Amino acid sequence: MSNGRDLLALDRAHVWHPYGPMPGKNEPYLVESAEGVLLKLAGGREVVDGMSSWWAAIHGYRHPVLDTALAEQAGRMSHVMFGGLTHQPAIDLATNLVELAPDGLEHVFLADSGSVSVEVAIKMALQAQLALGRPRRRRLLTWRGGYHGDTFHPMTVCDPVGGMHSLWTGVLPVQVFADVPPVEFDQGYADGLRALIAEHADDVAAVIVEPVVQGAGGMRFHHPEYLRVLREATAAYGICLIFDEIATGFGRTGEFFGADHAGVSPDIMCMGKALTGGYLTLAATLCTTAVAEAISAGEGGGLAHGPTFMGNPLACAVANASLGLLRDTDWRSHVRVIESGLRGGLEPLRGVPGVDDVRVLGAIGVVQLDRPVDMAKATAAAVDAGVWLRPFRDLIYTMPPYVASPDDVARIVAGITAAVAAT
Ligand SMILES: *Cc1c(COP(=O)(O)O)cnc(C)c1O
């Protein structure tokens, strides 16, 4: 291993990190390896990963089953183009995803990142409306507080004010926004949603939301009944309903998909993040036969999209292995144990000065402060307590790998508590 100091100097000179200036404001931590729930930092410190590498590493690091699937697939082929060719890893994955997804989602478009899968979902909805002879339906409707990715069209449906993209106001197409959905069911809010959809039935192609949990837009939870309201209202006007399950999918909220809390099937659904257990970048956009048939019968005769690395066999093979692990392990009770550990551990923070709210759902724990977090101080305090956290805005939060033991969860709680005290 090269000298850590030299590496960090080169990192500072050349490497751009997420959402930061160049060079970065705070020095990143150098990771040398990772195993189970632990990230092993240069200099010998080991920290429990409270972030699952941004929702992805649900089985932890260096899982033998996933490592083997990857190595075996590399022994056959790492990649081939997907135009005119196909292969078993992609076929198996599409078949698995259709089986796991809510009813009616029968067709799978494999994309190379979450943002691209949202681009594809939007393109599917717009192309379907066009093909059905409704070219004026070009806008999107969502609620505030959402996050759908960093490429340009997904940015338009991120929270317009509090999101990371407020600097693009005036540049991006303006979409239709409802207020942030309330935590509890509110009849007035539901009626307002219905009225907004009715009002925009002529110019909206699709409604897109994150079901049950809004992630990077603010880590908020809402009542699943709103998903049924959206399903009814969109169906009444032939508007597509898109669920972005990139953060909520694969058990994170306590159900396999966020949609399962409401028993609702969207017309189009995005999956990503935990799809490969955190090993490789891969996402998927699923749609119904009605959407697929509309697009395929329309002008152009197909979906105008085809990434170079579409259906990458390494990523598909690891995704299949990750789905196999979910099938063969009792992820539901692991998530429940994490949930009760987070609830018991974080609830006492409610009384701490500066803490505005504490909320837990499935394997997600959130502490919201009454002020912006001092990221460097909070992160350093957590690392000193043996935990990796990445707070943002006024939020210190965790979504541990499902393999985290009660002791690991207790350590994460201690890390969050230290981060709250330090900021
Ligand atoms: C992370 C995320 C995305 C974007 O996925 P990338 O792989 O980062 O492009 C989109 N939607 C939601 C809900 C996400 O959490």
Side-chain angles (χ1 to χ4, degrees), residues 13-364:
H14 303 301
V15 184
W16 217 303
H17 286 271
Y19 306 112
M22 190 72 233
K25 226 164 69 195
N26 307 315
E27 185 167 87
Y29 294 82
L30 187 60
V31 186
E32 289 182 343
S33 65
E35 185 149 19
V37 298
L38 294 176
L39 305 180
K40 302 182 181 185
L41 304 181
R45 280 195 288 188
E46 296 187 343
V47 289
V48 174
D49 182 9
M51 305 302 292
S52 297
S53 279
W54 271 338
W55 310 82
I58 52 176
H59 308 295
Y61 300 92
R62 292 223 57 202
H63 195 291
V65 171
L66 302 184
D67 280 9
T68 302
L70 186 60
E72 287 184 357
Q73 183 54 43
R76 289 186 287 270
M77 62 185 168
S78 292
H79 186 67
V80 292
M81 65 185 284
F82 212 49
L85 299 175
T86 194
H87 46 76
Q88 185 168 357
I91 297 166
D92 286 348
L93 180 59
T95 309
N96 285 332
L97 292 180
V98 165
E99 197 170 302
L100 291 163
D103 289 347
L105 297 164
E106 294 287 335
H107 314 287
V108 183
F109 188 100
L110 295 169
D112 33 20
S113 75
S115 301
V116 172
S117 77
V118 174
E119 296 278 6
V120 169
I122 294 170
K123 192 182 274 191
M124 280 180 176
L126 292 174
Q127 254 190 265
Q129 297 289 3
L130 204 57
L132 293 168
R134 305 158 180 160
R136 288 183 52 223
R137 289 190 174 176
R138 278 185 298 222
R139 295 176 79 192
L140 302 167
L141 188 152
T142 185
W143 44 40
R144 288 173 184 266
Y147 175 76
H148 297 283
D150 295 338
T151 58
F152 271 70
H153 237 84
M155 270 163 59
T156 67
V157 280
C158 291
D159 187 80
V161 181
M164 303 170 208
H165 310 300
S166 45
L167 96 135
W168 295 107
T169 308
V171 176
L172 298 175
V174 178
Q175 313 292 16
V176 183
F177 287 92
D179 287 340
V180 172
V183 181
E184 298 302 338
F185 184 71
D186 179 283
Q187 190 61 51
Y189 181 84
D191 292 344
L193 265 186
R194 282 195 198 89
L196 192 65
I197 290 168
E199 186 191 329
H200 287 279
D202 289 337
D203 63 353
V204 158
V207 171
I208 177 167
V209 296
E210 296 155 278
V212 180
V213 176
Q214 294 181 301
M219 301 299 299
R220 294 186 187 89
F221 310 148
H222 57 258
H223 199 284
E225 184 62 25
Y226 295 130
L227 304 175
R228 285 193 278 268
V229 171
L230 290 177
R231 178 65 288 180
E232 273 178 35
T234 50
Y237 298 102
I239 294 171
C240 291
L241 181 60
I242 304 172
F243 282 171
D244 178 349
E245 295 260 9
I246 292 168
T248 48
F250 308 105
R252 180 56 67 183
T253 68
E255 295 288 346
F256 202 86
F257 288 110
D260 299 338
H261 288 272
V264 160
S265 292
D267 303 293
I268 300 172
M269 185 157 141
C270 299
M271 308 174 184
K273 288 204 160 103
L275 176 57
T276 64
Y279 269 53
L280 285 163
T281 177
L282 183 70
T285 312
L286 281 73
C287 74
T288 61
T289 298
V291 169
E293 282 181 352
I295 292 168
S296 306
E299 203 182 330
L303 186 69
H305 217 96
T308 306
F309 285 95
M310 185 167 179
N312 175 257
L314 292 174
C316 290
V318 188
N320 286 322
S322 173
L323 295 177
L325 281 178
L326 287 173
R327 189 176 51 235
D328 298 341
T329 60
D330 188 5
W331 63 266
R332 215 175 265 279
S333 65
H334 295 168
V335 167
R336 216 171 298 136
V337 168
I338 293 171
E339 180 174 38
S340 73
L342 290 176
R343 196 159 273 149
L346 296 180
E347 204 49 45
L349 289 175
R350 210 180 272 286
V352 169
V355 172
D356 249 7
D357 191 29
V358 174
R359 44 191 187 261
V360 173
L361 179 71
I364 308 169

